[in-house]
């Protein structure tokens, strides 16, 4: 009787290991497919810079964040808080389903971290052109970024230029596998670099500014 019980336990344990291994592999395969997806910011809503609606800062087709008195005052106090709601579109042109359960993220501009957070929702992107929208909220002080003169000039050119300007934005993602009731953190961040143009970013604000 004891031998039967022991054998049953070994069988159940072996099955649990196989099930867990399959589950990990499935999530790892979806994560690998996610790395090959394309990413695009498709909307920017409720953008506030130092408490000022960004739409009020639109001048001659650009966004001037250094001439508004309230922003200049915030800069003198070494603060430049930015709040916004972004929609990130993920497109899967591969042949395998892509997905992720939960993940920590960081956003960098000019190699300076401007944002971090945690997405606590499952994201699944079907293959062959499937898409998913991921909401990203910004609530961060941008002063460390623009206090550097080189960065400040780059940001100014990007926002005020009448011609198309490009800036590389880096999304750093650290996934978490969910196995049963346990979460296993991925050992490192996955970097996804995206080229953002000022014309695209400003078009979102202009669209919101129209009646």
């Amino acid at each position: 009787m004891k031998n039967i019980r022991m054998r049953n336990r070994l069988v159940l344990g072996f099955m649990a290991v196989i099930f867990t291994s399959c589950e990990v592999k499935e999530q790892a395969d979806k994560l690998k497919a996610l790395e090959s997806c394309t990413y695009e910011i498709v909307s920017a809503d409720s953008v506030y810079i130092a408490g000022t609606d960004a739409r009020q800062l639109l001048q001659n087709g650009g966004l001037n964040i250094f001439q508004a008195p309230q922003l200049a005052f915030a800069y003198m106090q070494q603060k430049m808080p930015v709040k916004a709601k972004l929609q990130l579109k993920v497109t899967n042109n591969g042949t395998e389903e892509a997905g992720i359960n939960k993940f920590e993220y960081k956003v960098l501009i000019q190699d300076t971290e401007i944002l971090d957070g945690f997405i606590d929702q499952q994201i699944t992107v079907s293959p062959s052109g499937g898409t998913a929208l991921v909401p990203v909220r910004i609530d961060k002080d941008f002063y460390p970024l623009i206090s550097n003169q080189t960065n400040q000039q780059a940001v100014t050119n990007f926002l005020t230029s009448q011609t198309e300007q490009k800036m590389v934005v880096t999304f750093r993602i650290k996934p978490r596998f969910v196995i049963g009731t346990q979460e296993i953190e991925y050992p490192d961040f996955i970097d996804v670099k995206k080229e953002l143009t000022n014309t695209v970013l400003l078009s979102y604000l202009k669209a919101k500014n129209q009646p």
Side-chain angles (χ1 to χ4, degrees), residues 2-196:
K2 289 183 179 180
N3 290 337
I4 294 175
R5 287 180 180 175
M6 180 63 70
R7 185 172 60 193
N8 288 341
R9 288 177 182 175
L10 289 173
V11 170
L12 289 173
F14 182 67
M15 290 177 64
V17 169
I18 293 177
F19 176 76
T20 301
S21 300
C22 292
E23 196 170 355
V24 170
K25 184 181 184 305
E26 181 182 357
Q27 293 186 46
D29 289 343
K30 288 184 178 181
L31 177 60
K32 185 177 181 180
L34 192 69
E35 293 183 51
S36 301
C37 290
T38 58
Y39 298 81
E40 178 186 5
I41 298 175
V42 294
S43 70
D45 194 11
S46 303
V47 182
Y48 288 86
I49 305 173
T52 302
D53 191 329
R55 294 173 296 179
Q56 299 176 12
L57 305 175
L58 287 170
Q59 297 177 2
N60 301 320
L63 182 66
N64 196 324
I65 65 171
F66 293 105
Q67 290 187 359
Q70 59 271 42
L71 270 62
F73 181 71
Y75 185 80
M76 289 174 60
Q77 293 183 311
Q78 299 187 356
K79 296 179 181 179
M80 194 59 69
V82 175
K83 293 186 177 182
K85 298 176 183 177
L86 306 181
Q87 286 281 358
L88 185 66
K89 181 180 179 181
V90 184
T91 303
N92 182 8
N93 292 316
T95 58
E96 302 295 331
E97 184 178 77
I100 192 172
N101 286 296
K102 303 177 180 180
F103 61 95
E104 178 185 351
Y105 67 88
K106 299 178 185 291
V107 180
L108 295 85
I109 295 178
Q110 302 289 103
D111 295 324
T112 300
E113 183 182 316
I114 62 166
L115 180 66
D116 59 6
F118 185 77
I119 300 293
D120 188 10
Q121 72 176 63
Q122 187 176 35
I123 298 169
T124 302
V125 193
S126 302
S128 305
T131 62
L133 290 178
V134 182
V136 178
R137 289 182 176 271
I138 295 178
D139 188 355
K140 194 79 172 181
D141 185 1
F142 274 45
Y143 180 80
L145 172 67
I146 61 176
S147 60
N148 178 286
Q149 291 297 320
T150 300
N151 290 347
Q152 184 179 128
Q153 188 61 50
V155 171
T156 301
N157 292 341
F158 182 78
L159 294 176
T160 62
S161 176
Q162 299 298 307
T163 59
E164 184 175 87
Q165 299 289 319
K166 298 178 180 179
M167 182 176 288
V168 176
V169 179
T170 302
F171 294 91
R172 307 195 71 199
I173 301 171
K174 178 180 282 190
R176 294 189 182 183
F177 296 116
V178 178
I179 308 300
T181 59
Q182 293 186 330
E183 291 185 7
I184 302 175
E185 190 175 85
Y186 197 72
D188 203 357
F189 281 91
I190 299 170
D191 285 2
V192 178
K193 293 185 181 294
K194 172 64 182 176
E195 201 172 64
L196 179 66

